[in-house]
Amino acid sequence: MKLKIVLISALLVIGCGETEKKVPVHAGKKVYEQYCRSCHHAGLAGSPEYRNPSDWEERVNKGRETLLTNVVTGITPGMPPKGLCMSCSEGELLDAIDYMLPDSKTE
């Protein structure tokens, strides 16, 4: 009888983890954390701060292609080409840009 109660209790505990909802992870988070965060989290060297609407408004109004071009080629004096992620594809860089924008919905 005791063994039965222990087994049922263990199954209930194991089953609890399966009902937790997983928060979607934004596709650009990994690149942001590894390459962009060091400057954009604090707005170093004039970089637009992570998800700060006033920092991003003018840039976003120029369009995603302009944002991507600026990331790929770099901006003197502070933004190095590709944010130093030389192995990143343009798609990965766009994901990182989208992740930094104020209206990004996922973590």
Side-chain angles (χ1 to χ4, degrees):
M1 182 68 172
K2 287 183 184 180
L3 179 60
K4 212 181 229 185
I5 293 172
V6 170
L7 288 174
I8 291 171
S9 297
L11 290 173
L12 288 173
V13 170
I14 291 169
C16 289
E18 294 174 17
T19 61
E20 292 179 21
K21 292 182 180 180
K22 293 187 178 187
V23 176
V25 176
H26 193 288
K29 183 176 182 176
K30 183 177 178 183
V31 171
Y32 170 79
E33 291 290 331
Q34 189 169 355
Y35 296 98
C36 313
R37 187 179 196 284
S38 59
C39 291
H40 286 279
H41 198 72
L44 295 179
S47 64
E49 266 187 62
Y50 171 76
R51 297 190 180 170
N52 182 329
S54 62
D55 285 0
W56 286 98
E57 183 177 13
E58 183 180 329
R59 291 166 174 92
V60 169
N61 288 338
K62 292 178 181 178
R64 288 179 85 228
E65 286 305 313
T66 300
L67 284 170
L68 179 61
T69 298
N70 290 339
V71 170
V72 170
T73 61
I75 301 173
T76 303
M79 176 70 185
K82 290 186 136 187
L84 299 178
C85 184
M86 302 320 257
S87 65
C88 285
S89 68
E90 287 189 358
E92 290 170 316
L93 295 172
L94 276 172
D95 288 341
I97 291 166
D98 290 342
Y99 180 71
M100 287 188 273
L101 296 176
D103 62 352
S104 181
K105 302 289 184 229
T106 57
E107 289 296 315

